[in-house]
Amino acid sequence: MSKRTPALGFILVTVLIDVIGVGLIIPIMPELLGELGITDTGRASFIGGLLISSYAIMQFFFAPILGGLSDQYGRRLVILISLFGLTIDYLIVANAPTVTWLFIGRIIAGIGGASFTTASAYIADISAPEKRAQNFGMIGAAFGIGFILGPVLGGYIGKIDTRLPFYVAAGMSFLNWLYGFFILPESLSKENRRPFQWKRANPIGSFRSLIKYPLLLNFFIAFFIIYLAAHSVQSNWSFFGAEVFDWKSGEIGFSLSVVGILVAIVQAVLIRKSVAKYGDKVTVYMGLAFSTMGLILFSMATEEWMIYAFLAVYVLGGLAGPTLQGIMSNQVPADEQGELMGAVTSLQSLGNIVGPLVMTSTFFYFTSSAPIYFPGAAFALGALLSIVSGLIIYRTIRNTKETQMANEESEG
């Protein structure tokens, strides 16, 4: 263990720079595909979707591996290797002569992007149990800020040269690696490490190993459903805006910036206050209630001002995810935090694979061939999923309390 005191700021800056690097390339991807011969918009969208899926699939499989490795060798080493891999990825994409090389780069990025698993485990290592929810919220805030700054910078730099944002992203990742190498201390003490096991270093193995803790199986299901519900917004926002309000890229970009700012405020500030005042469990219930109400309101929006007004309700749903992650983290010992965060990242990656398919298909059906025209159908489905997730969490906690009370009575 380094003599330097581990600091939350170290890992948050790492995550922020990493996300800005990812966001830099978003605005220029269509133009890059055009340079590589994919000029048809529909085909470019399909290829772009496959690139996103390849990234998510790699994260799904490699997150448990990196989590397990970090449980044995420490968080710092795994984070540094992943950051260096991302640097290589951006350089490959910057010089990609064909679409095939884009896929090679995205596969490497998906493997390296699984470092968010280790970043979350790092947060768990340095946080007291009662502080974990708010610190996981800080990671969410770093994501929000990164995805605000990244696309803006990428769009501006991309006007100079289509490939330049990838070189900038490579430079930022390498600076991030240097920052970690010289400043980031190790967070996992040697006495809290465990041997790496291949049978546990995969999504199925991780889940099987972790469900020995009574609450985790149902919490895994609930967490996945929360992430699936979130794709009713993430995957449909631009399409809904274009369909209902005739939004163009400018309006879509502005609205997403507003979403990012509000989410960052909720996760950086309000989670801490809510957990301190109401506790973890009530904060999760509140978050899911706000998410449900916000999605229902979105589904009924017919004017632009409604979307911005309803955002004030929806973004409070951001209280739920990080707080539930904090509750889950408190269920496992220090030497299994990496494995847990690997499983959580795999669930998020699975949501990134399934969520867009489910939600965009719902939107397409209810705007094309359904008996009724309902462009907000995906939002309504997301609200229903949020309710289901809340019921699962409530029943799990209630049944656990009843079991504990029964055990105490039998022992007495």
Side-chain angles (χ1 to χ4, degrees):
M1 176 74 103
S2 171
K3 293 181 179 179
R4 291 169 291 176
T5 302
L8 177 64
F10 290 162
I11 205 70
L12 292 179
V13 169
T14 297
V15 171
L16 176 61
I17 295 177
D18 206 12
V19 174
I20 289 176
V22 174
L24 277 170
I25 69 176
I26 292 175
I28 47 82
M29 186 58 75
E31 188 174 344
L32 176 62
L33 289 172
E35 291 182 1
L36 296 177
I38 312 297
T39 55
D40 178 71
T41 303
R43 186 162 177 251
S45 174
F46 176 72
I47 296 296
L50 290 179
L51 287 168
I52 293 172
S53 295
S54 65
Y55 180 94
I57 290 170
M58 288 300 103
Q59 272 200 326
F60 177 74
F61 287 107
F62 277 87
I65 294 175
L66 295 189
L69 289 172
S70 76
D71 280 341
Q72 176 169 350
Y73 298 107
R75 318 301 186 200
R76 183 175 180 274
L77 176 62
V78 174
I79 288 174
L80 291 177
I81 293 173
S82 296
L83 289 176
F84 195 78
L86 283 176
T87 302
I88 300 301
D89 156 60
Y90 291 131
L91 291 175
I92 289 175
V93 175
N95 294 277
T98 65
V99 173
T100 300
W101 279 98
L102 291 184
F103 278 99
I104 292 173
R106 287 290 83 190
I107 288 171
I108 295 174
I111 296 171
S115 63
F116 291 125
T117 293
T118 314
S120 297
Y122 192 108
I123 293 294
D125 292 338
I126 66 174
S127 305
E130 66 275 10
K131 297 289 186 180
R132 283 176 178 164
Q134 71 182 55
N135 288 343
F136 285 135
M138 294 295 289
I139 290 184
F143 265 82
I145 295 171
F147 275 114
I148 295 169
L149 298 178
V152 172
L153 293 173
Y156 178 77
I157 298 171
K159 292 178 181 179
I160 302 172
D161 185 89
T162 307
R163 308 279 180 141
L164 185 57
F166 296 97
Y167 286 109
V168 173
M172 294 186 70
S173 291
F174 185 67
L175 289 175
N176 203 6
W177 180 86
L178 288 175
Y179 176 88
F181 185 82
F182 289 107
I183 297 178
L184 187 68
E186 179 54 63
S187 64
L188 184 65
S189 60
K190 291 185 178 180
E191 59 268 22
N192 286 330
R193 300 185 185 187
R194 66 173 181 85
F196 178 81
Q197 297 176 297
W198 278 108
K199 67 179 181 180
R200 296 170 63 170
N202 60 82
I204 303 301
S206 293
F207 295 138
R208 284 178 177 173
S209 174
L210 290 167
I211 60 176
K212 64 189 176 190
Y213 302 105
L215 300 179
L216 283 188
L217 176 59
N218 287 342
F219 281 171
F220 280 146
I221 296 172
F223 190 86
F224 172 73
I225 294 175
I226 289 173
Y227 211 75
L228 196 64
H231 271 282
S232 63
V233 173
Q234 295 174 16
S235 299
N236 278 296
W237 186 265
S238 58
F239 298 110
F240 180 84
E243 176 74 16
V244 178
F245 308 126
D246 196 29
W247 278 355
K248 300 297 185 291
S249 58
E251 291 91 344
I252 293 170
F254 175 77
S255 65
L256 288 174
S257 295
V258 173
V259 173
I261 292 169
L262 293 176
V263 168
I265 292 172
V266 169
Q267 299 199 335
V269 179
L270 296 186
I271 286 180
R272 180 178 70 254
K273 294 182 179 296
S274 180
V275 170
K277 185 173 183 178
Y278 302 110
D280 290 348
K281 299 177 183 65
V282 173
T283 297
V284 171
Y285 296 146
M286 289 170 55
L288 289 172
F290 282 121
S291 177
T292 301
M293 288 187 290
L295 289 170
I296 291 173
L297 291 171
F298 282 159
S299 73
M300 299 184 293
T302 56
E303 302 287 341
E304 287 187 49
W305 68 264
M306 294 181 179
I307 283 291
Y308 290 102
F310 298 159
L311 271 175
V313 178
Y314 173 74
V315 295
L316 291 173
L319 295 169
T323 308
L324 179 59
Q325 191 173 350
I327 295 174
M328 293 164 65
S329 178
N330 290 336
Q331 306 301 311
V332 305
D335 64 352
E336 295 184 33
Q337 290 294 330
E339 182 176 29
L340 171 64
M341 296 309 158
V344 168
T345 303
S346 288
L347 287 174
Q348 292 173 330
S349 300
L350 185 61
N352 284 335
I353 297 168
V354 177
L357 295 175
V358 172
M359 296 304 174
T360 55
S361 297
T362 301
F363 176 84
F364 177 72
Y365 176 70
F366 279 95
T367 56
S368 58
S369 57
I372 59 171
Y373 176 75
F374 185 24
F379 296 138
L381 176 58
L384 178 62
L385 290 172
S386 295
I387 293 172
V388 172
S389 180
L391 290 174
I392 291 173
I393 295 170
Y394 174 76
R395 286 177 61 87
T396 301
I397 293 175
R398 187 190 66 178
N399 292 342
T400 301
K401 286 182 178 179
E402 291 176 352
T403 301
Q404 290 174 344
M405 292 175 61
N407 290 338
E408 290 173 0
E409 290 176 359
S410 63
E411 291 174 0

